[in-house]
């Protein structure tokens, strides 16, 4: 009679083979599930948030223009519309401080607020957006005064500060090389935007030009990217390493952009994944 605990026992060998096959099947299931999770994350992170219509929204922004997707995304989200009731976007026009306030407040979904310390608001459509940003700490009196100067055109450096504060951005991980921002007003906020891939060198140079007026096209890009920044640290784990990431309780552990995640495999499999 065979000793069950003897590895040469043919019945035990058969049972071991069955268990081994079951484990391979389970591991394949884990790998398929992991591949699904990775694909889901990649699709969520990389697919544009808006599928654009064939016809451009604005008559002066063609589908081949570099700003097209940024402008269309803002239009689809109700952040911009035709300039002064027309079907034009006027991409090269400068932006007033009140226009910037509206676009940034809508893009950042800044909570509405009432009341202000500004003494020069115009009692018009822009007031709610300016007051919202003021309450949120994204804007304050111009040059130490209690004036907002709503009709003054805004500079690139000033808009960088408004965006960084309104969106609550912190220093990112993108490399950048801007040679004209050291010691300028709002340097820290320009660095925050650059390190998050929101701004770069002006027209392919290493200059940010903080004192130059921002255009509607430039601001549209900044806000659009700030709404969905891409983290350069995103990495996809090797699916072949799946066995090392599954603990004894059947929980898949993995990291996305440095954030630890976990998934209950049985629960997901019951849902059909």
């Amino acid at each position: 009679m065979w000793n069950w605990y003897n590895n040469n026992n043919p019945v035990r060998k058969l049972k071991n083979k069955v268990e081994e096959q079951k484990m391979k099947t389970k591991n394949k299931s884990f790998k398929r599930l992991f591949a699904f999770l990775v694909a889901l994350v990649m699709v969520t992170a990389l697919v544009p948030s808006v599928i654009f219509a064939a016809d451009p929204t604005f008559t002066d922004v063609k589908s081949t223009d570099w700003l097209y997707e940024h402008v269309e995304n803002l239009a689809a989200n109700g952040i911009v519309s035709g300039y002064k009731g027309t079907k034009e976007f006027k991409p090269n026009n400068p932006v007033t401080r009140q226009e910037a306030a509206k676009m940034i407040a809508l893009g950042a979904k800044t909570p509405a607020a009432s009341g202000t310390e500004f003494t020069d608001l115009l009692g018009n459509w822009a007031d709610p957006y300016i007051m919202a940003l003021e309450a949120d700490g994204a804007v304050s009196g111009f040059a130490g005064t209690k004036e907002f100067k709503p009709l003054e055109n805004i500079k690139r450096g000033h808009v960088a500060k408004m965006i960084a504060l309104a969106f609550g951005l912190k220093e990112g991980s993108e490399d950048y090389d801007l040679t004209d921002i050291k010691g300028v007003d709002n340097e820290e906020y320009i660095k925050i935007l650059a390190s998050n891939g929101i701004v770069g060198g002006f027209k392919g140079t290493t200059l940010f030009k903080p004192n130059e007026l921002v255009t509607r096209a430039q601001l549209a890009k900044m806000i659009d990217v700030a709404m969905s920044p891409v983290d350069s640290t995103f990495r996809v784990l090797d699916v072949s390493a799946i066995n090392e990431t599954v603990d004894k309780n059947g929980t898949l552990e993995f990291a996305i952009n440095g954030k630890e995640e976990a998934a209950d495999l049985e629960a997901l499999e019951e849902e059909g994944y």
Side-chain angles (χ1 to χ4, degrees), residues 9-70:
N9 182 332
V11 178
R12 183 178 176 85
K13 281 184 176 180
L14 180 60
K15 184 176 185 302
N16 288 343
K17 284 286 186 185
V18 171
E19 291 297 329
E20 182 181 343
Q21 186 60 41
K22 286 170 65 178
M23 184 57 69
K24 284 182 179 178
T25 301
K26 192 172 184 180
N27 285 344
K28 287 179 181 178
S29 176
F30 286 167
K31 290 178 180 180
R32 284 196 301 271
L33 177 57
F34 184 72
F36 163 79
L37 289 170
V38 168
L40 180 63
V41 171
M42 290 180 69
V43 167
T44 302
L46 301 178
V47 170
S49 58
V50 175
I51 298 175
F52 301 114
D55 296 325
T57 302
F58 304 105
T59 57
D60 56 348
V61 180
K62 302 188 295 292
S63 60
T64 53
D65 293 339
W66 66 265
L67 66 152
Y68 176 73
E69 289 190 3
H70 302 300

Side-chain angles (χ1 to χ4, degrees), residues 41 245 251-263:
V41 171
T245 66
T251 299
L252 174 63
E253 297 175 346
F254 54 100
I256 298 173
N257 292 343
K259 181 181 178 183
E260 297 297 327
E261 304 284 358

Side-chain angles (χ1 to χ4, degrees), residues 212-269:
E212 195 159 297
L213 298 180
V214 73
T215 67
R216 287 170 57 83
Q218 293 164 358
L219 182 57
K221 178 190 174 183
M222 292 180 195
I223 294 173
D224 184 37
V225 180
M227 288 167 60
S228 54
V230 177
D231 189 339
S232 65
T233 63
F234 181 87
R235 296 289 184 272
V236 178
L237 297 180
D238 185 352
V239 177
S240 66
I242 188 70
N243 293 335
E244 297 177 10
T245 66
V246 180
D247 69 16
K248 62 183 179 181
N249 296 316
T251 299
L252 174 63
E253 297 175 346
F254 54 100
I256 298 173
N257 292 343
K259 181 181 178 183
E260 297 297 327
E261 304 284 358
D264 185 326
L265 293 175
E266 283 192 15
L268 288 169
E269 286 182 330

